[in-house]
Structures are given as structure tokens and as C-alpha cells.
Amino acid sequence: MGWASQVMIPAPPQLAASSWILIDAHSGAVIAEHNADERLPPASLTKMMTSYLLEYEIHQGTVELNDMVRISERAWRMPGSRMFVQEGTFVSIEDLLRGVIIQSGNDASVAVAEHLAGSETAFADLMNQHARLMGMTNTHFMNSTGLPDENHYSTARDLAILSRVKIMDYPEHYSIYSEREFTFNNIRQTNRNRLLWRDASVDGLKTGHTSEAGYCLAASAVRNDMRLISVVMGTRSDEARTQESQKLLSYGFRYFETPRLYQAYQDLDEARVWKGARTSVRVGLTEDLYATIPRGAQEQLQAEIVLHPNLQAPLVVGDQVGQLVISLNGEVVKQEPVFALENLERGGFFKRLWHSLIMFFSGLLS
């Protein structure tokens, strides 16, 4: 992350994998990466988007957890990992969600796709639309399962973006990713994410494997209110993806921290405003601000608010009035827009005229 010259932090671990990335969930900062933008087959990591779309529709109110889904012949015949649904039966949305997440069921994924979009092809189009909205610029989906297709690909970075959105946007469903087993149709299957057994701080997310993709794992863990997300792609075995993911997470937690520096709508400063009923307005952030920094370096952070010099009324809550710059040893760590936290109406005619003259002779008006 660029601080090696100022802070004693070892280089990130080198993994036996095709690509990987480690990010902080709150700040979005990338802590370590290797070939993170290489397009690779994502295998069943695809199902994170399948389950995300189902969670999205639940949140939108278009489907409910107790809705029943009729299983088609196509869903029933899907090869590979399965939930073991039966053709012609009805299965609840809640069970299908667990079937996708915990059992990595290809049959459950297709059932979800057909229920939400009418066909898997139409569902793949929805997947790609949502991927673009998230900023997943090197991803293209052809199906809901991750079964091999030359035009079906993603990257470690894009899958980390997806993981972060899932965790932050729909926390009410995220707990499913930590469940170690699920029994459906009297068939008990365990979660393939072995980190759930080895590390109590790990609570998700998803495994993937095909001969083309190798063994992949998107994982997330929380320690002392710091949440990290790792994505490791193209390892040689189930054990390898587990060990390599553990290395990344351990490195991040050992050498970094992500403190909350400021709260949303906290008063940070007052901005000078021209032509207003008052001469200043309170300013701050509209979201909590987190920064990922070397562990123990928080006292060395410096904050500077750079306000626009010629702000003029009227202003309303949410108008951008400047920038907050957080730096560490001269290097910018975070740069966020600063907004007005209150409305400010225009002043009277003579006040506006007087301020216009001052601004003109001060060079603030051209």
C-alpha cells in the first residue's frame, strides 16, 4: 500500500495461486494483490452473484422467503454439486438460498434463476447488469452456476467487490454464509469453506472448483471490528485454497487496522459562505469514514479540510463544499468530499450586493 519506507511492514505473502486480493470491507482499501485483474473462470464463486440477486429481490419485496418455487426438469437434471431438489416439487426461497450458499447447488441456482427471470439466459443478463452497476469491469456471466463457458469469467478484484457489496448491503442474509451444514430432502451436506472450522473469526463466503478454474475461495473474517475480505483463485486443492486464504487474512489482521476516523454528519468545520442569511454553514461527511492504515499509525495521521473559497448561498444539506484529505507521512490515505450539513438561505438584497463587491475586489468573482 505504499508505506514500506515509513512503517516497518513485511511484504505480503506470496501464494500458490493464479491470482488473489485482500481488501478491507469498511474502507475498501486494497491491502495486497497479485494478478487481481486477470480474467479467470470463477467456478462456483459465480453463485455469490446468484444469491446476491435473490437477496436483492427479497429486499425489494418482489419475493419472500416463504415463497414456493416449482422445480423444472432442467433444474433437476443439472450436473455437478447439487441440493437434490426433485422435478415438479415446490421448494421455498429460503431453502433455495441455503442450497445455493451452503450446498453450492447447481440445481438450486437454476431454480432461482428461472423463478426470478424466467430463464437462465435472462437471469445471466441481470447478473451482468448488476455487475456493471457494482463496478465489476472485468466480469461476464453466462450462467447462474459457474459451469465452464469460454465467455464466463471474472477476476479476484471483481469478486472482492461483489463480496463487499453482499456483506454491506444485506447483512440480514449474510449469516447464512457462516452456517456449516444444511439438510434438505434428508440429505445433509457441509459447507465447503473449511475456514469456518479452523478460524472462529471467519464467517463466509463461498468456495468454487472446476478443472478449468482450480480451487477458489472468497473468504471474510472479523477481528476487533475490522472486517477483511480475501479472494484466492486457481489453487491446486481444497487444502491449498484454505491455507493460502488463511495466510492473506492473517497478514492483514497482523499488520493493519481500520479505525473509524469520523462519523456520518459529525461537525467537522464551518465553511465561509457569501451572500447568505448567515456567513457560515456546518460541514461534514454523509457516511462514516474508515481508513486502513499500518497498525499503530493512527496517531500519525493528519487531516486537512480544503473548502471551496467562493461558496455562495443558497446551500442545501448534501451540497458538496470541499474535500477532506487524510494523509500519513505525506502520503494521501483517504480523500473524501465534504458536504453542507444544514440549509442556508440567500441573504437580503443589500447583503448580496455588498458581498458581490467584496468578492469582485478580492478576485473571487471573474
Side-chain angles (χ1 to χ4, degrees):
M1 296 180 65
W3 297 308
S5 60
Q6 295 92 5
V7 183
M8 300 300 292
I9 293 178
Q14 295 301 300
L15 309 184
S18 300
S19 71
W20 64 83
I21 193 169
L22 177 68
I23 70 170
D24 183 273
H26 285 109
S27 70
V30 176
I31 296 173
E33 61 179 296
H34 173 75
N35 291 341
D37 295 311
E38 182 181 358
R39 293 179 174 180
L40 296 169
S44 284
L45 297 189
T46 298
K47 295 186 177 89
M48 291 197 297
M49 180 60 87
T50 301
S51 58
Y52 169 82
L53 283 180
L54 184 51
E55 293 159 6
Y56 172 84
E57 295 296 339
I58 293 170
H59 185 75
Q60 294 295 110
T62 58
V63 297
E64 297 182 357
L65 288 173
N66 58 3
D67 286 351
M68 302 303 290
V69 176
R70 188 180 187 280
I71 305 302
S72 69
E73 180 182 358
R74 185 172 185 276
W76 171 63
R77 290 187 180 276
M78 287 302 297
S81 55
R82 301 176 62 199
M83 181 184 177
F84 296 104
V85 293
Q86 299 297 312
E87 178 189 2
T89 62
F90 288 84
V91 180
S92 71
I93 288 289
E94 184 171 12
D95 283 346
L96 287 174
L97 187 59
R98 283 184 164 80
V100 172
I101 294 170
I102 302 170
Q103 300 177 329
S104 197
N106 292 335
D107 50 358
S109 298
V110 171
V112 166
E114 292 176 340
H115 183 71
L116 294 183
S119 70
E120 192 175 18
T121 301
F123 186 76
D125 184 57
L126 286 177
M127 296 169 77
N128 290 321
Q129 291 181 42
H130 279 266
R132 287 192 293 271
L133 289 173
M134 292 180 195
M136 298 171 64
T137 56
N138 285 298
T139 293
H140 187 262
F141 295 114
M142 293 295 292
N143 56 59
S144 63
T145 61
L147 289 173
D149 187 296
E150 62 181 0
N151 293 314
H152 189 99
Y153 54 82
S154 189
T155 67
R157 189 184 313 279
D158 282 1
L159 292 167
I161 291 171
L162 172 59
S163 300
R164 185 185 181 208
V165 171
K166 289 174 66 67
I167 293 170
M168 305 304 284
D169 284 8
Y170 303 119
E172 67 270 25
H173 300 298
Y174 181 64
S175 62
I176 296 175
Y177 292 84
S178 66
E179 295 180 13
R180 296 185 180 185
E181 64 179 45
F182 178 54
T183 300
F184 180 80
N185 202 19
N186 294 320
I187 300 172
R188 184 179 69 88
Q189 297 187 66
T190 59
N191 196 316
R192 294 171 174 81
N193 183 0
R194 303 306 169 204
L195 283 177
L196 295 176
W197 282 265
R198 299 188 184 184
D199 186 338
S201 68
V202 173
D203 57 9
L205 291 154
K206 188 75 186 69
T207 61
H209 170 253
T210 63
S211 57
E212 293 82 5
Y215 289 82
C216 310
L217 175 59
S220 186
V222 180
R223 299 181 191 174
N224 298 320
D225 296 325
M226 181 183 185
R227 176 178 288 280
L228 297 181
I229 296 169
S230 66
V231 177
V232 174
M233 304 181 72
T235 69
R236 293 185 177 182
S237 67
D238 182 2
E239 180 62 25
R241 70 184 173 193
T242 303
Q243 290 184 0
E244 303 303 79
S245 298
Q246 185 74 76
K247 289 178 187 177
L248 266 188
L249 293 169
S250 296
Y251 172 79
F253 285 123
R254 171 64 180 83
Y255 294 106
F256 295 89
E257 60 181 336
T258 302
R260 183 175 67 174
L261 303 181
Y262 300 103
Q263 297 181 30
Y265 303 104
Q266 174 184 345
D267 288 356
L268 299 185
D269 202 349
E270 288 195 351
R272 175 73 165 90
V273 182
W274 300 95
K275 304 180 184 180
R278 302 187 310 279
T279 58
S280 64
V281 65
R282 295 182 295 109
V283 303
L285 306 167
T286 56
E287 296 181 354
D288 290 354
L289 178 64
Y290 295 85
T292 299
I293 57 176
R295 186 165 292 281
Q298 186 172 353
E299 295 301 319
Q300 303 171 41
L301 291 177
Q302 294 182 318
E304 180 185 11
I305 296 180
V306 182
L307 297 169
H308 299 325
N310 59 344
L311 289 171
Q312 300 180 44
L315 291 173
V316 298
V317 174
D319 282 347
Q320 185 175 342
V321 297
Q323 293 279 335
L324 171 63
V325 181
I326 307 294
S327 58
L328 176 63
N329 296 321
E331 180 180 346
V332 175
V333 175
K334 293 283 286 189
Q335 186 168 313
E336 295 292 330
V338 174
F339 303 95
L341 297 183
E342 56 186 339
N343 298 329
L344 180 55
E345 300 79 15
R346 298 174 70 188
F349 172 77
F350 290 106
K351 187 172 188 179
R352 299 200 309 272
L353 178 61
W354 177 242
H355 280 193
S356 293
L357 290 171
I358 296 174
M359 294 178 74
F360 178 77
F361 287 108
S362 301
L364 297 175
L365 286 179
S366 58

